[in-house]
PDB file of all heavy atoms in Angstrom:
ATOM      1  N   ALA N  33      10.383 -34.363  31.784  1.00 89.00           N
ATOM      2  CA  ALA N  33       9.527 -35.457  31.569  1.00 89.00           C
ATOM      3  C   ALA N  33       9.711 -35.959  30.146  1.00 89.00           C
ATOM      4  O   ALA N  33       9.648 -37.138  29.839  1.00 89.00           O
ATOM      5  CB  ALA N  33       8.048 -35.032  31.849  1.00 89.00           C
ATOM      6  N   ILE N  39      14.679 -40.731  26.326  1.00 97.00           N
ATOM      7  CA  ILE N  39      15.725 -41.649  26.746  1.00 97.00           C
ATOM      8  C   ILE N  39      15.064 -43.031  26.697  1.00 97.00           C
ATOM      9  O   ILE N  39      15.640 -43.982  26.212  1.00 97.00           O
ATOM     10  CB  ILE N  39      16.250 -41.361  28.062  1.00 97.00           C
ATOM     11  CG1 ILE N  39      17.032 -39.911  27.972  1.00 97.00           C
ATOM     12  CG2 ILE N  39      17.147 -42.319  28.625  1.00 97.00           C
ATOM     13  CD1 ILE N  39      17.521 -39.321  29.250  1.00 97.00           C
ATOM     14  N   ALA N  64      24.137 -41.815  22.660  1.00 97.00           N
ATOM     15  CA  ALA N  64      23.078 -40.964  22.650  1.00 97.00           C
ATOM     16  C   ALA N  64      22.355 -40.823  23.971  1.00 97.00           C
ATOM     17  O   ALA N  64      21.942 -39.798  24.406  1.00 97.00           O
ATOM     18  CB  ALA N  64      21.990 -41.404  21.503  1.00 97.00           C
ATOM     19  N   LYS N 115      16.458 -19.054  33.004  1.00 86.00           N
ATOM     20  CA  LYS N 115      16.476 -17.668  32.878  1.00 86.00           C
ATOM     21  C   LYS N 115      16.285 -17.175  31.544  1.00 86.00           C
ATOM     22  O   LYS N 115      15.851 -16.031  31.353  1.00 86.00           O
ATOM     23  CB  LYS N 115      17.677 -17.081  33.470  1.00 86.00           C
ATOM     24  CG  LYS N 115      17.887 -17.256  35.005  1.00 86.00           C
ATOM     25  CD  LYS N 115      19.087 -16.579  35.557  1.00 86.00           C
ATOM     26  CE  LYS N 115      19.301 -17.169  36.955  1.00 86.00           C
ATOM     27  NZ  LYS N 115      20.255 -18.323  36.984  1.00 86.00           N
ATOM     28  N   THR N 150       2.099 -42.430  15.781  1.00 94.00           N
ATOM     29  CA  THR N 150       1.420 -43.530  15.140  1.00 94.00           C
ATOM     30  C   THR N 150       0.201 -44.004  16.001  1.00 94.00           C
ATOM     31  O   THR N 150      -0.877 -44.187  15.520  1.00 94.00           O
ATOM     32  CB  THR N 150       2.381 -44.774  14.977  1.00 94.00           C
ATOM     33  OG1 THR N 150       3.564 -44.257  14.374  1.00 94.00           O
ATOM     34  CG2 THR N 150       1.907 -45.890  14.181  1.00 94.00           C
ATOM     35  N   HIS N 185     -21.082 -25.921   6.491  1.00 97.00           N
ATOM     36  CA  HIS N 185     -20.125 -27.092   6.518  1.00 97.00           C
ATOM     37  C   HIS N 185     -18.684 -26.686   6.695  1.00 97.00           C
ATOM     38  O   HIS N 185     -17.938 -27.279   7.372  1.00 97.00           O
ATOM     39  CB  HIS N 185     -20.379 -27.926   5.245  1.00 97.00           C
ATOM     40  CG  HIS N 185     -21.568 -28.597   5.076  1.00 97.00           C
ATOM     41  ND1 HIS N 185     -21.849 -29.664   5.960  1.00 97.00           N
ATOM     42  CD2 HIS N 185     -22.726 -28.509   4.401  1.00 97.00           C
ATOM     43  CE1 HIS N 185     -23.131 -30.080   5.675  1.00 97.00           C
ATOM     44  NE2 HIS N 185     -23.664 -29.384   4.641  1.00 97.00           N
ATOM     45  N   SER N 204       1.147 -33.443  27.216  1.00 46.00           N
ATOM     46  CA  SER N 204       0.874 -34.481  28.090  1.00 46.00           C
ATOM     47  C   SER N 204       2.127 -35.302  28.323  1.00 46.00           C
ATOM     48  O   SER N 204       2.019 -36.438  28.870  1.00 46.00           O
ATOM     49  CB  SER N 204      -0.360 -35.350  27.720  1.00 46.00           C
ATOM     50  OG  SER N 204       0.016 -35.883  26.452  1.00 46.00           O
ATOM     51  N   SER N 210      -5.810 -39.114  22.158  1.00 60.00           N
ATOM     52  CA  SER N 210      -6.462 -39.344  20.844  1.00 60.00           C
ATOM     53  C   SER N 210      -7.888 -38.932  20.919  1.00 60.00           C
ATOM     54  O   SER N 210      -8.403 -38.544  21.942  1.00 60.00           O
ATOM     55  CB  SER N 210      -6.400 -40.857  20.540  1.00 60.00           C
ATOM     56  OG  SER N 210      -6.870 -41.516  21.644  1.00 60.00           O
ATOM     57  N   SER N 247     -11.488 -14.429 -12.321  1.00 54.00           N
ATOM     58  CA  SER N 247     -11.299 -13.765 -13.658  1.00 54.00           C
ATOM     59  C   SER N 247      -9.785 -13.643 -14.091  1.00 54.00           C
ATOM     60  O   SER N 247      -9.535 -13.647 -15.299  1.00 54.00           O
ATOM     61  CB  SER N 247     -11.940 -12.498 -13.585  1.00 54.00           C
ATOM     62  OG  SER N 247     -11.418 -11.728 -12.507  1.00 54.00           O
ATOM     63  N   ALA N 355      14.121 -14.992   7.406  1.00 97.00           N
ATOM     64  CA  ALA N 355      13.802 -16.053   6.428  1.00 97.00           C
ATOM     65  C   ALA N 355      13.113 -15.431   5.249  1.00 97.00           C
ATOM     66  O   ALA N 355      11.862 -15.664   5.170  1.00 97.00           O
ATOM     67  CB  ALA N 355      13.032 -17.145   7.078  1.00 97.00           C
ATOM     68  N   ARG N 377       2.361 -18.726  19.862  1.00 96.00           N
ATOM     69  CA  ARG N 377       3.382 -18.074  20.722  1.00 96.00           C
ATOM     70  C   ARG N 377       4.378 -17.372  19.769  1.00 96.00           C
ATOM     71  O   ARG N 377       4.920 -16.312  20.192  1.00 96.00           O
ATOM     72  CB  ARG N 377       4.197 -19.302  21.506  1.00 96.00           C
ATOM     73  CG  ARG N 377       3.288 -19.760  22.553  1.00 96.00           C
ATOM     74  CD  ARG N 377       3.880 -21.089  23.246  1.00 96.00           C
ATOM     75  NE  ARG N 377       5.106 -20.849  23.968  1.00 96.00           N
ATOM     76  CZ  ARG N 377       6.021 -21.798  24.319  1.00 96.00           C
ATOM     77  NH1 ARG N 377       5.641 -23.095  23.980  1.00 96.00           N
ATOM     78  NH2 ARG N 377       7.106 -21.499  24.926  1.00 96.00           N
ATOM     79  N   VAL N 389      -5.044  -6.569  24.326  1.00 96.00           N
ATOM     80  CA  VAL N 389      -4.270  -6.083  23.195  1.00 96.00           C
ATOM     81  C   VAL N 389      -4.757  -6.686  21.976  1.00 96.00           C
ATOM     82  O   VAL N 389      -5.056  -7.901  21.941  1.00 96.00           O
ATOM     83  CB  VAL N 389      -2.718  -6.326  23.512  1.00 96.00           C
ATOM     84  CG1 VAL N 389      -1.961  -6.224  22.156  1.00 96.00           C
ATOM     85  CG2 VAL N 389      -2.207  -5.388  24.454  1.00 96.00           C
ATOM     86  N   ARG N 393      -1.876  -5.931  16.567  1.00 95.00           N
ATOM     87  CA  ARG N 393      -0.772  -5.275  17.225  1.00 95.00           C
ATOM     88  C   ARG N 393       0.297  -6.253  17.820  1.00 95.00           C
ATOM     89  O   ARG N 393       1.495  -6.149  17.687  1.00 95.00           O
ATOM     90  CB  ARG N 393      -1.327  -4.451  18.391  1.00 95.00           C
ATOM     91  CG  ARG N 393      -0.272  -3.381  18.833  1.00 95.00           C
ATOM     92  CD  ARG N 393      -0.851  -2.548  19.861  1.00 95.00           C
ATOM     93  NE  ARG N 393       0.260  -2.123  20.773  1.00 95.00           N
ATOM     94  CZ  ARG N 393       0.133  -1.975  22.039  1.00 95.00           C
ATOM     95  NH1 ARG N 393      -1.013  -2.129  22.612  1.00 95.00           N
ATOM     96  NH2 ARG N 393       1.259  -1.697  22.740  1.00 95.00           N
ATOM     97  N   LEU N 409      -5.855 -23.439  23.811  1.00 95.00           N
ATOM     98  CA  LEU N 409      -4.943 -22.702  24.557  1.00 95.00           C
ATOM     99  C   LEU N 409      -4.137 -23.556  25.504  1.00 95.00           C
ATOM    100  O   LEU N 409      -4.654 -24.338  26.344  1.00 95.00           O
ATOM    101  CB  LEU N 409      -5.678 -21.697  25.511  1.00 95.00           C
ATOM    102  CG  LEU N 409      -6.067 -20.334  24.822  1.00 95.00           C
ATOM    103  CD1 LEU N 409      -6.989 -20.412  23.707  1.00 95.00           C
ATOM    104  CD2 LEU N 409      -6.705 -19.391  25.851  1.00 95.00           C
ATOM    105  N   PRO N 430      -9.127 -21.112  36.884  1.00 94.00           N
ATOM    106  CA  PRO N 430      -7.755 -20.475  36.916  1.00 94.00           C
ATOM    107  C   PRO N 430      -6.716 -21.099  35.861  1.00 94.00           C
ATOM    108  O   PRO N 430      -5.808 -20.334  35.576  1.00 94.00           O
ATOM    109  CB  PRO N 430      -7.301 -20.886  38.375  1.00 94.00           C
ATOM    110  CG  PRO N 430      -8.563 -21.285  39.133  1.00 94.00           C
ATOM    111  CD  PRO N 430      -9.506 -21.810  38.126  1.00 94.00           C
TER     112      PRO N 430
END
Side-chain angles (χ1 to χ4, degrees):
I39 293 170
K115 293 183 196 95
T150 308
H185 290 294
S204 62
S210 54
S247 51
R377 290 167 65 192
V389 161
R393 195 176 147 218
L409 276 64

